[in-house]
Amino acid sequence: PHPSMGSPAGGPEAVEGRAVKRLKVTFKRPQARVGTDAKSEEQPVESTAFDALAEEASRKFEIMDDADVGIVKEDTFTFLDLKLKPDHRNRPVWVTPDRRVFLESFSPLYRQAYDFLIAIAEPVSRPQCIHEYMLTAHSLYAAVSIGLNAETIVKVLDRLSKVSVSKELVQFVRQTTQNCGKLKLVIQDNRFLLESPFPGVLREIVKDEVIARAVKDKERLARILGSGEVGTRQAQGDTGFIVRKDVGSGSVAAEITAIDLGGDDVAAGEAEEDAGGVTHAIEILPSMIEHVKQRCLPGSGSLNYPILEEYDFQNDKMNPDLVMELKPTAKLRSYQQKSLSKMFSNGRARSGVIVLPCGAGKSLTGVAAASRVKKSVLCLCLNSVSVDQWRHQFLLWTNLQEHQVSKFTAENKQMFSSDAGVLVTTYSMLTHEGRRSEEASRILREMQSKEWGLMLLDEVHVVPAETFRKVIAIVKSHCKLGLTATLVREDNLIDHLNFLIGPKLYEANWLDLVSQGYLANVQCAEVWCEMTKEFFAEYLKKENKRRRELLYVMNPIKFMTCQFLIEYHEQHRRDKVIVFSDNIFALREYALKLRRPFIYGATTHNERTRILHHFKHSNEVNTIFISRVGDNSIDIPEANVIIQIASHAGARRQEAQRLGRILRPKQSMVAGSGKGEFNAFFYSLVSKDTQEMYYSTKRQQFLIDQGYSFKVITGLLDSMVRRLPPCCSHLYHPSPRDLDLTPSPPFTPTPQNNKDAAEKSQLCYSKRDDQINLLTKILVAGEAEQGDEVLTTDKEQAVQQEAPTVARRNVSSLAGLSGARGLSYLEYSTGASSSATAAGAAARKPKKGNPNRERHFLFKYRKRFQK
C-alpha cells in the first residue's frame, strides 16, 4: 500500500511484523522471460485486493510481484515511481505521467484546486470523493485562451500535487502550448484582423498559400514577404504589419492560480497580469475566415497555430450601441460570475462555450453577457417554445422594451425597427433550404447584412451537426457564446466546437451546486418491470424483430407501474409529473388510456403553449406526456417527477437533458440544505431481460460521471400483488429466479385485502383479456407506427414518418383538394411557329422499343385506329 493510503511512511517492507505485498502497475503487458513457455505467460495474474483500484486508475494496468520487476521495459510507468512529498497530506491532487489528474473533493483546498483544474483539464468523472481529469490538447488550448502559459500550469500543478510532476507531462504541456495563444482574430472597425505579438509568427503563416489568399492588402503582403528588405525594415522597426496596442490577457489567470498552501515556499501570485504591449496585425478577407481558422488548427497537415477570437466591443464605433442594463433584481451567482469573468477578463469578449447544468441559470448568464457587450444580439434556439422563453428572459432581467426584443419563427416573423436590438430565432429558420415567404426572405437578408455584436447559441452541442453548423457562415457576428449542459455527442463531433465556436471557458460541477442549494436534490431510480408471459413469448420470436422495441415499451407491467407512480405522486405528494416517450405509438396509448394531455412533434405551437401553461399554473393538469421534443430548451420549473417509459437507444445526452427538466431548485428548498431529503424523482422504467436493460446502462454513464447514482427497484407491484386473491394471480408472472419458495400463509379475505385488490383492479391492463387485446393491437400495427419519433432539421418540429394508410378527415379548400394551393398556372411558351413546335416535338419523341416484342392485345390495333 502507498503511504498515503494509511500505511506508515517507513516503506512497504513490513508493517508491525506483517509482510506487505508490493504492487507494480504498468501500461504494457510484460515480455516473456527467456526459456519460459509462451502459453504460461498468457495465464492471468493472480487478483489482489487492489485490482479494482488499478483498473480505475489506468486503461489496462497489470499487477505483479517484485519478482517481475526485471522483465518490465524501461519506458513503463509504475505507481512506485511516484515519490510522495513530505507534506503530501496538505496537497489535494495526484498528477500521473499519463496526463491524468485526481482531485480529493474532501480537501480544504478543493474549491481553489477545482477552479484551476477545470481551466486546464477535461473532467472525466466527478463522483462524491475523488474527481478525475485529463489533460488534453483542447483543454490546454482553452487554458491559454484565458492567459495561462506553460510555466504557470506546470508550477501550479506541482504546487498542488502530492507527488512530483513527471518530465513527460512537463514536456507534453510545453509542446502543446508552444503555439497556442500566439494568434488572435479580432474584429475592429468592421475589419477582421489576424494579430500576434510575435511578428515572426505572422510572417511564417502568411507564407502559406491559403493564408496568403486570405490577406486583403496584397501590397502589404508583398512588402512582408519581400526577401531583400527584411533586415533593413526590421532594423528600422518597420515589419510591414499593422502595429496596435495589446490589451493583455487580463487578471483571470492570476486569480485562479493564487493558491496558498500555508507553508509552501512557492509564492502564490506567480501568474501576473499581462500589462499589454505592442501587437502586430494583418487584415483578412471576411469570406476566408473559416478557411483560415481551419488551416491554423492543430494536427497533421495544418499550421498548428490555434486562433483565439476576441471582440473589442468597447472600441467598436461603427455598430450602434444597445442601451441594455440588468435590473437590480438580477443577482448573479458565484459560478455565473466566474464563467463571465473568463469571457471578459481583458476588456474584450472571448468566443467560447460555457457549460452549466440544467436549471443552473444558463439563460441569465447569456443575458448578462449580452448586457455587457451592449450591441445587437442574435439568440439561436432549438424550437419555438424556447424562443418564447428566451424572449421572456430578456424582458424579465433587463430594461429592454418589448419592441426591442423580436422573434423570428414560422408563426411570428418580426424584426426590431431600431438600429440595435435583440432577435430570437431557431437554427432551423436560418438553415432552411426550401422556399420561404417574401417576409421571411426579407428578414433573412436583413439579418445577413447586419453585423451582430453577440451570437448566443443555446444547446450548442447541436451545432456540430451537418445542418446546424451552417449558421456560423450565414450570419456575421463579432462574438459567439455557446451554452449547454451536456457537452457530449454520440458521434464524437463535440471537439469541432473548438474551431466553430471557441474553447470551453467554464464548466460547473453538478454535485457542488446541489450541495449549495442551487439545484434540486434528485433521487434517480431504475425500475425493473417483468415482462408478461405472452409479451415475452412474442418478444423472443424471430419474426417480431422489428416489433421488439414496441413490445417492451408497451409491457403491461410497465404500463401499470407507470400508472401507479403517476397516481401516487399526484394524490399523495401533489407533485407535477412529466412522462417521456420517444415512441409515438406508446405515447398516444399511454396518454389516451390514462386521460392525460400529450405533446409531440406534430403538436402545434399554440397547443403546446396552452398545455404547458395549464401544467404550470393549474391544479387540474398535474401530468403531461411528451416526446423527445421536450428534451431540450423547455423551462418547466414546477415539475419535480420524471418517468421515462421509452428512450432513444443509449443516448447519454438525452438522459441528462431529461433529468435537467426537474433540476431547478424547488420552493421548499433553502440555500445550503441540498443534503436533506430528496425533493425530485427520476424514474426510468425498464422491461426486464430485454435489450432495454443494455441501453439503460449505457444511457446512465454521463450522469454517473457527474456523481449521480441510480437505485434499482425490483418488484414495485409485488407488495400489492401478494395480497391479491388467487383468482387474480395471472396479473403478474415472475421469473423462476425471483419466486419466493418460502411457504406463505393461505389467503384470508379481509377488508384491507379487498381494498388493495380493488385498487389493483383499477390499474389499466390488469386483466388478462385486456393484455391479449393490447398484444393483438401491437402485432397488427404497421411499421410506421412502431418506430421512434425522428425530428428533421429542415423544418421546425416536423416528424419524419410515413403516414399510416388510414382515413383522416381534414378541413381544406377546393384549391387544396386540386393540388393548386399556393401555386399559379403560368404559360411558358406562346406564339411559337409550327415548325419550331414540330421540331421540339420530334426532339422529345421517345425512341422506339424492340419491334419484335409482342404488344398487349389492348394496344395491338392502336396505330390502325390512329390512321
Side-chain angles (χ1 to χ4, degrees), residues 651-713:
R652 297 167 295 169
R653 186 180 73 237
Q654 187 186 57
E655 192 92 351
Q657 290 286 350
R658 289 180 173 178
L659 176 69
R661 301 310 105 197
I662 56 175
L663 277 183
R664 288 193 177 274
K666 311 308 173 188
Q667 296 180 356
S668 59
M669 291 183 60
V670 182
S673 63
K675 295 184 180 180
E677 63 179 18
F678 297 107
N679 47 31
F681 301 89
F682 180 85
Y683 299 99
S684 182
L685 306 188
V686 180
S687 292
K688 199 173 179 182
D689 299 328
T690 63
Q691 192 179 19
E692 193 177 18
M693 298 188 70
Y694 164 75
Y695 289 145
S696 179
T697 304
K698 184 179 179 182
R699 291 166 57 84
Q700 297 169 6
Q701 189 57 51
F702 178 82
L703 293 178
I704 292 175
D705 289 339
Q706 304 303 321
Y708 287 90
S709 59
F710 280 77
K711 178 181 179 181
V712 177
I713 301 176

Side-chain angles (χ1 to χ4, degrees), residues 356-622:
L356 297 177
C358 300
K362 294 189 297 294
S363 302
L364 180 57
T365 304
V367 172
S371 64
R372 178 73 181 273
V373 175
K374 289 183 175 56
K375 300 292 181 180
S376 295
V377 180
L378 176 64
C379 181
L380 299 178
C381 314
L382 281 181
N383 48 55
S384 55
V385 175
S386 57
V387 168
D388 295 339
Q389 294 174 356
W390 269 97
R391 183 175 185 272
H392 174 72
Q393 293 293 318
F394 274 101
L395 297 176
L396 177 64
W397 300 115
T398 65
N399 59 348
L400 294 177
Q401 304 300 319
E402 291 191 2
H403 68 275
Q404 295 178 295
V405 184
S406 305
K407 56 182 181 180
F408 179 46
T409 61
E411 293 82 7
N412 297 279
K413 301 177 180 62
Q414 304 171 1
M415 186 67 178
F416 51 85
S417 57
S418 56
D419 295 336
V422 177
L423 179 63
V424 188
T425 182
T426 64
Y427 295 98
S428 302
M429 291 298 293
L430 294 183
T431 59
H432 180 61
E433 297 179 353
R435 296 182 57 185
R436 297 178 182 268
S437 64
E438 182 179 355
E439 185 179 6
S441 301
R442 178 186 60 81
I443 295 177
L444 183 61
R445 289 193 299 268
E446 187 176 352
M447 293 170 57
Q448 292 176 330
S449 62
K450 189 178 186 62
E451 287 191 3
W452 300 90
L454 177 64
M455 179 190 293
L456 288 175
L457 298 104
D458 189 25
E459 308 295 347
V460 73
H461 54 261
V462 305
V463 172
E466 189 64 27
T467 303
F468 289 156
R469 69 195 307 163
K470 298 177 183 178
V471 300
I472 306 300
I474 293 177
V475 181
K476 183 189 298 183
S477 63
H478 292 261
C479 179
K480 295 181 285 291
L481 176 61
L483 300 171
T484 184
T486 53
L487 201 63
V488 59
R489 287 181 63 92
E490 302 300 330
D491 55 5
N492 298 323
L493 294 180
I494 202 67
D495 291 339
H496 289 195
L497 291 177
N498 288 282
F499 66 89
L500 290 174
I501 307 298
K504 183 177 64 176
L505 301 176
Y506 183 77
E507 181 174 359
N509 187 12
W510 294 45
L511 290 189
D512 287 350
L513 301 187
V514 172
S515 62
Q516 297 171 11
Y518 295 130
L519 296 180
N521 196 9
V522 182
Q523 169 69 71
C524 301
E526 181 179 316
V527 183
W528 290 2
C529 305
E530 288 282 353
M531 290 278 285
T532 59
K533 182 173 61 178
E534 293 80 9
F535 272 72
F536 195 65
E538 294 294 335
Y539 175 83
L540 296 177
K541 291 183 179 180
K542 185 177 181 180
E543 57 269 19
N544 291 332
K545 182 178 180 180
R546 295 181 179 272
R547 297 186 177 93
R548 287 179 178 175
E549 179 184 355
L550 193 58
L551 285 170
Y552 63 66
V553 171
M554 295 299 300
N555 176 19
I557 301 299
K558 179 187 285 192
F559 200 109
M560 289 188 288
T561 303
C562 178
Q563 181 182 359
F564 171 75
L565 291 174
I566 290 175
E567 294 177 354
Y568 170 78
H569 283 281
E570 283 185 346
Q571 299 174 7
H572 297 278
R573 292 182 51 90
R574 301 292 189 266
D575 293 331
K576 294 285 187 177
V577 184
I578 302 177
V579 183
F580 278 101
S581 173
D582 277 26
N583 191 288
I584 303 301
F585 181 89
L587 183 74
R588 290 197 187 100
E589 289 296 324
Y590 274 75
L592 295 178
K593 192 72 174 180
L594 299 178
R595 298 184 178 181
R596 301 296 196 280
F598 63 95
I599 299 174
Y600 69 112
T603 307
T604 62
H605 174 67
N606 293 333
E607 187 175 357
R608 291 187 197 183
T609 306
R610 179 178 58 83
I611 293 175
L612 293 177
H613 177 76
H614 284 289
F615 180 73
K616 294 178 182 179
H617 305 288
S618 175
N619 294 327
E620 297 179 358
V621 180
N622 296 319

